Amino acid sequence: MKYGIVIYPQKEIQDWANSLRKRYDSHYTLIPPHITIKEAFEIENINEAIQYIENITSQIPPFTLKLSKVGTFLPISPVVYVGFEKNPVIYELQEKLNADILKRPLKHQFIPHMTIAQDLHEQEIHDVYGRLKLENLNKSILVDRIHLCYQIENQSWTVYQTFLLTGK
Amino acid sequence: MKYGIVIYPQKEIQDWANSLRKRYDSHYTLIPPHITIKEAFEIENINEAIQYIENITSQIPPFTLKLSKVGTFLPISPVVYVGFEKNPVIYELQEKLNADILKRPLKHQFIPHMTIAQDLHEQEIHDVYGRLKLENLNKSILVDRIHLCYQIENQSWTVYQTFLLTGK
C-alpha cells in the first residue's frame, strides 16, 4: 500500500487552485490541491510510522508559506506549479519526515510547490505558464497540520490521519 | 463553509466499493467511498466543534460494521447502498455528534450506509440493485477513527482533521 504525506492549503487557496487545475491538471479529481511533503512510500508497520510522525510534528510549530512565483519543471517534467518564499521550517519538516524508518531515496530534490498543471504537451505547458504569471499571488498558506494519506485502486488518495504541528 | 463527518473504510473495502461506484455513482470522483456519520453542516467556530468532537471520540471505543445487505432509498431517493448489521455504537456516535453545539435538524432518519449508486434513472437503480445482490458481502469494516471534512468549490471534500476512537 502506498502512503504519502501532504499539506492541504485552506479552502480559499484550494478553490483558487482548483479554478485553474480544472482545466490544466489531469489529477484534478484524484486529490484536492496540495503540497507534497513526502512522496509515495511503502512501509510495513504503519503504526510505527505514525508514532514516528507524531514525534516530529510535536517539535515543529505552525508556519506560513507565502506564494511567490509560478514555476515549471520543464524539461524534466511537464508541470506548472506555484512556489513559495523560502521558509526553513518546511525543509526541516521534510528532512525529518525522510529520516530513520521513513528514509527513502528522493526521486527529485525537494522543491515545495503546489501543482497547477500537468500531463499537457510542452507547448500547452508554456501557454499555461504564461497565463499563470498574470495571476495574483499575494496569498499565504498557514500550515498547522499535515495529512498522512494512502492511495486507493483508482489512484485517488484517502486521508488516514492528521497530525497537528504543536511545536513551540 | 460546509463541514461533514465521515468514516472511511479500509482500502480493501474502498477498492471493492469503487469498482462498483465507478460505473454507478456520480460522486465517484468527489469523495472516496465512505459512511456519512454527520451530514453537511455549518458552524461558526470550528475549533469549538473540534473540542466537542474530541470529547465524544474519547468516549467511544473502536467498533466493527459487518456488511449485511444491499438496500435502496427508492422511492425517496435514487440511491443503492450497502447496509450493515445493527451495531449500537454507531448510533451512539451519530447521536452524540448531533447534540449540543452540533445539533442540526436531520434531513433523513439515520441509516448507516455506504452509497454505491446514485443519480441514475429509476430503472437503472433497479438494475444495479439486482446486480449488487449477487456481490459477496462477507466483509467487515473496523472503525477506529472518524474524519471531519470540508467541502471545496468543486463539491469535493478535503479532510480537515482525524479523530481516533479512544474510548474503552
Side-chain angles (χ1 to χ4, degrees):
Chain A
M1 182 144 74
K2 276 188 186 160
Y3 292 93
I5 303 178
V6 299
I7 293 164
Y8 289 124
Q10 66 270 29
K11 181 181 185 301
E12 301 74 46
I13 302 280
Q14 290 189 313
D15 287 344
W16 168 73
N18 262 347
S19 69
L20 300 162
R21 292 176 75 221
K22 187 173 189 167
R23 278 172 287 173
Y24 306 133
D25 185 352
S26 61
H27 294 198
Y28 169 63
T29 63
L30 298 178
I31 187 163
H34 64 280
I35 301 151
T36 300
I37 188 96
K38 187 170 178 66
E39 285 169 12
F41 66 101
E42 310 229 5
I43 191 156
E44 216 157 282
N45 187 337
I46 190 62
N47 291 324
E48 209 172 54
I50 285 171
Q51 279 196 339
Y52 185 83
I53 298 167
E54 263 170 358
N55 182 40
I56 292 167
T57 51
S58 71
Q59 298 167 45
I60 303 274
F63 61 94
T64 298
L65 291 175
K66 202 174 163 338
L67 277 61
S68 71
K69 59 156 195 169
V70 175
T72 163
F73 292 134
L74 280 178
I76 294 165
S77 178
V79 164
V80 181
Y81 66 87
V82 173
F84 308 102
E85 281 184 11
K86 287 252 180 218
N87 183 329
V89 185
I90 193 168
Y91 292 92
E92 184 189 346
L93 180 58
Q94 183 271 336
E95 270 174 30
K96 286 187 166 164
L97 290 172
N98 194 41
D100 205 323
I101 60 165
L102 291 185
K103 191 159 181 69
R104 304 286 183 280
L106 286 181
K107 279 193 212 133
H108 312 287
Q109 187 201 350
F110 177 62
I111 298 171
H113 69 279
M114 181 165 65
T115 295
I116 296 293
Q118 61 189 318
D119 292 339
L120 300 175
H121 291 294
E122 194 170 323
Q123 185 52 50
E124 289 175 298
I125 289 289
H126 285 298
D127 291 350
V128 176
Y129 180 67
R131 156 95 182 68
L132 286 190
K133 291 194 113 174
L134 307 172
E135 287 282 327
N136 170 17
L137 296 185
N138 189 13
K139 307 174 202 294
S140 291
I141 297 171
L142 171 66
V143 185
D144 65 354
R145 61 195 64 215
I146 59 175
H147 290 87
L148 172 67
C149 308
Y150 58 88
Q151 196 170 31
I152 60 179
E153 194 76 8
N154 68 348
Q155 308 300 310
S156 74
W157 293 83
T158 300
V159 170
Y160 190 61
Q161 193 156 330
T162 321
F163 300 86
L164 303 182
L165 305 181
T166 57
K168 299 291 168 204
Chain B
M1 184 143 74
K2 276 190 187 160
Y3 293 93
I5 303 177
V6 299
I7 292 163
Y8 289 124
Q10 66 270 28
K11 182 180 184 303
E12 300 74 45
I13 302 279
Q14 289 189 314
D15 286 343
W16 168 73
N18 262 349
S19 69
L20 300 162
R21 291 176 76 220
K22 187 174 189 165
R23 279 170 288 173
Y24 305 133
D25 184 353
S26 61
H27 293 200
Y28 168 64
T29 62
L30 299 177
I31 187 164
H34 63 279
I35 300 151
T36 300
I37 188 96
K38 187 170 180 64
E39 285 169 14
F41 67 101
E42 311 230 3
I43 192 156
E44 216 156 283
N45 187 337
I46 190 63
N47 292 324
E48 211 173 54
I50 285 171
Q51 279 196 338
Y52 185 84
I53 298 167
E54 263 170 358
N55 183 39
I56 292 167
T57 51
S58 70
Q59 298 167 42
I60 303 274
F63 62 94
T64 298
L65 292 175
K66 200 173 165 341
L67 277 59
S68 70
K69 59 155 195 171
V70 175
T72 162
F73 292 133
L74 281 178
I76 293 165
S77 178
V79 164
V80 181
Y81 65 87
V82 173
F84 308 102
E85 281 184 11
K86 286 254 179 217
N87 183 328
V89 185
I90 193 168
Y91 292 92
E92 184 189 348
L93 180 58
Q94 183 271 336
E95 270 174 32
K96 287 187 167 165
L97 290 173
N98 194 41
D100 206 322
I101 62 166
L102 291 184
K103 190 158 182 68
R104 302 287 183 279
L106 287 181
K107 280 193 211 130
H108 313 288
Q109 190 202 346
F110 178 62
I111 298 171
H113 68 279
M114 181 165 65
T115 295
I116 296 294
Q118 62 189 318
D119 293 338
L120 300 175
H121 292 293
E122 193 170 322
Q123 185 53 50
E124 288 175 299
I125 289 289
H126 286 297
D127 290 351
V128 176
Y129 180 68
R131 155 95 182 66
L132 286 191
K133 291 195 110 172
L134 307 173
E135 286 282 327
N136 170 16
L137 297 185
N138 190 13
K139 307 174 203 295
S140 291
I141 297 171
L142 171 67
V143 184
D144 64 354
R145 61 195 62 215
I146 59 174
H147 290 86
L148 172 67
C149 309
Y150 57 89
Q151 198 172 29
I152 61 177
E153 195 74 7
N154 67 348
Q155 309 300 310
S156 74
W157 293 83
T158 300
V159 171
Y160 190 62
Q161 193 157 329
T162 322
F163 300 87
L164 303 182
L165 305 181
T166 56
K168 298 290 166 203

